[in-house]
Amino acid sequence: MKRKGIQQMSWKGLAAFTVLILILPFLLSTSLMITKATFAGIYTIVAVGLGLLMGFAGQISLGQAAFYGVGAYSTAILTATFGISPWLSLLIAITAPALIAYILGHTMARLHGYYLAMATLAFGIVIHVLLVEWKGFTKGASGFYGIPKLELFGFTFTQGISYYYLVWAFALLVIILSLNIIHSRIGRALRSIHDSEVASSSMGVDTGRYKMQVFIISAMFAGIAGWLFAHMSYSISPGSFGLDGSILFLTMVVLGGSTSVWGAVFGALLITAISSFVQALGSKISFITSDFEHVLYGLILMLVVIFLPQGLFPAIAAKLKPFLEFTGRKKKSGSITAVKGDQRA
Amino acid sequence: MPDLLEVKNVTKKFGGVVANQGVSFSFESEKVIGLIGPNGAGKSTLFNMVSAIFPPTEGEIWFAGKRIDRLPAFKVSPLGIARTFQNLQVFKRMTVLENVMVGLHTSTSSGILSAAFKLPKAKKEEETIYQQAWEEIEFVGLEDVAAVEAGNLPLGKLRLLELARALATRPKLLLLDEIAAGLNHQETAGMSDLIFKVRDRGVSIFVVEHDMDLVMRVSDRIIVLDQGEKIAEGTSKEVQNDPRVIEAYLGNDEEKEEGTV
């Protein structure tokens, strides 16, 4: 039902994006590019969760890569060491980060100020140390080998097009769930906290509770991404789950913009593209190393914060809007609704 | 039957500054009570304590037979207290309708998971929220701007929006914090009509107001604060003739108020 006055979810945007995802593998020429596009999907899942936390709960997590790592390592250990089905360990890969987030958030006196950023930073470091040192379980810094592939009804998802579609199916699910959340009473409550915490609490919104719930959801999404990552690769190592990774996710969200779900998606895609491009350059030019990549992300982060604090996506959406309205069919009525809806969703 | 609101010997200190000193009053349902006093008399402080923005240093506040002065603000709203803010606290990046929909937050209960998966309960509640929010929008007359982002509205409309949003919580007691501040004559007249309409819905109203014409017209009873203490309470006529009130407002020294009694 079309309702006047609500910033509505843009089903058209979602449909267009889905089509793009479906046809993308046919446009990519090499298997390396398909792998990169698969990674983009995994990162999207983490970034969308972090985007919800930053844009809607107003909190920053510097430990998202650690949740991602908890998801990856818990499934790796459960499946390779204990022989549990990967589909069963998916549940653990989701609930373990959620539980950690609950404990972290709870001890942080219901998430005020920058305490969560500090706590997640420390948590990220602890997890990294654990992954390196707890060799009995994690096999240490050299990495964990022998993670089984995912199988469903006799079909094996191997790295390549099938895994690409699997990852993006999860990513689209995460996007849809997130869009549903922000367009619900919870979403409105979260957005209201962002604009005036005193007013939203006097409307009866338990601000601490919703911040906590979003934090938990962001951890669950990271856990799903970790699970996907582990079963995509034969091996994982602690290097993927350190502070670098957390900063990378943060950069994605800041670059794309945290005030909409699509901003985080856009940021994840863009950073993956930039990273692939830099790595391709690196194979030709000797001074472009992975350190160079980090400097580049730092630079991007600074420039965006200074010049486009809302992120790239809102700016691009605003630029595209007149064009879309000009070429597309004009809406008959409730044009304000339509315009706002497109922007928000 | 207990009084709707009972303020018992309430004192509030900010460091060494005493904002309220031993204030007591109570009132019954379905009345409009005015709260006046010169600048710095402690009206806003008292309001913030009744709406549980912060607790009193000493004393107790009871609402409908329940002690509320130690509760967090979000727990007071479902009991039936709503408020507007003098320094406008609208949700700027949300539409007018969405602002009012936040007011219906506590009358609904679907959680984050049923929202994420769009369970039938969440969908049904969303429909109710939408309908009831529209009723409040119509009540204050903001239909034509319902889809506008609140940050783009002029002050007069924002005051109406805050009223609609507060009403959406279905309050028993509505606190209006200088709801007419910055409004022109016509808007102020419209606002006092609205206040009567709200009272006729069975809502008690507690009004802090600098506009004396407005507060005298709408209030059944008026409480006067000066320098943190209650100095008078009574009908508008009684209060206007009270020598302590006249002194507080006109004063012996230079601390004069622009408002007249």
Side-chain angles (χ1 to χ4, degrees), chain A residues 1-9 183 188 191 331-341, chain B residues 94-101 126-135 137-138 141-149 153:
Chain A
M1 191 186 109
K2 198 83 187 163
R3 289 170 178 152
K4 192 167 169 278
I6 312 177
Q7 299 173 354
Q8 274 179 325
M9 187 162 154
H183 293 284
R188 281 190 299 273
R191 283 155 60 199
K331 299 234 163 52
K332 271 169 284 174
S333 63
S335 62
I336 293 171
T337 320
V339 170
K340 296 275 192 259
Chain B
M94 301 169 74
T95 69
V96 166
L97 183 69
E98 287 174 322
N99 266 269
V100 179
M101 288 168 93
E126 194 68 4
E127 193 58 43
T128 319
I129 291 172
Y130 179 76
Q131 299 298 345
Q132 292 186 2
W134 257 112
E135 284 170 25
I137 295 270
E138 284 167 0
L142 285 176
E143 300 96 318
D144 53 332
V145 291
V148 177
E149 223 168 274
L153 289 185

Side-chain angles (χ1 to χ4, degrees), chain B residues 191-211:
Chain B
M191 190 59 81
S192 67
D193 290 344
L194 261 180
I195 292 174
F196 286 125
K197 268 172 75 183
V198 173
R199 186 200 55 191
D200 292 343
R201 284 167 60 163
V203 179
S204 299
I205 306 169
F206 195 17
V207 191
V208 163
E209 198 43 78
H210 265 123
D211 186 315

Side-chain angles (χ1 to χ4, degrees), chain B residues 230-241:
Chain B
K230 185 173 97 173
I231 56 167
E233 183 174 352
T235 64
S236 60
K237 190 146 267 170
E238 286 164 4
V239 164
Q240 283 177 56
N241 295 326

